[in-house]
Amino acid sequence: MEDWGYAASWDTSHVTPCAPKANGGYAAEKTHYGRDAIRAVTILVETSDQKMPPASTLGGEEGVYGAGGPADGHVPRNMRLALASIDLLQPHIELAPSLPARPG
C-alpha cells in the first residue's frame, strides 16, 4: 500500500477506478482520486539487526535528548530520527472552506 500511495502521486497513468466486491462492494465513483488525494512518504527504520534486541540496548526516556548519554539506545535514537524527519518534511495543514452551519 505504501509503495502504491507514493507512486500514484506521480505515475497517474496507473491510477484507475476499481469496482471492489469485498464486504458487499461499493460504487466505483468512490474510487476516483484527485492529484492531491494520493500522497505517502514511507520511512522504514530498522532498529537493530536482531528482531528483539536485548532490553539493555533499548535506552530510556532521557536518551531522546541526550544522544550518547547513559540512557541512549535504539528507542531514543529512533525517536530522534522521527523528530528530524518531521522537521525535514515540514508537514503543513491545508485549510478548506467550512461547511455551512446546521440550523438549530
Side-chain angles (χ1 to χ4, degrees), residues 4 6 16-17 39 43 49 53-55 70 73 76-77 79 84-85 87 98:
W4 180 86
Y6 172 73
T16 58
R39 304 285 181 187
I43 299 171
D49 289 336
R77 180 195 64 228
M79 290 296 299
S85 298
D87 189 42
S98 63

Side-chain angles (χ1 to χ4, degrees), residues 65-104:
Y65 301 105
D72 199 6
H74 293 299
V75 175
R77 180 195 64 228
N78 292 338
M79 290 296 299
R80 291 191 301 272
L81 176 62
L83 292 169
S85 298
I86 291 168
D87 189 42
L88 175 69
L89 294 173
Q90 298 179 358
H92 296 90
I93 297 172
E94 182 178 332
L95 301 177
S98 63
L99 297 173
R102 292 187 200 180

Side-chain angles (χ1 to χ4, degrees), residues 1-2 4-10 34-42:
M1 185 67 177
E2 293 89 356
W4 180 86
Y6 172 73
S9 67
W10 51 266
R35 69 174 194 85
D36 294 331
I38 307 169
R39 304 285 181 187
V41 174
T42 303

Side-chain angles (χ1 to χ4, degrees), residues 57-70:
T57 65
L58 297 179
E61 189 174 330
E62 301 83 25
V64 175
Y65 301 105

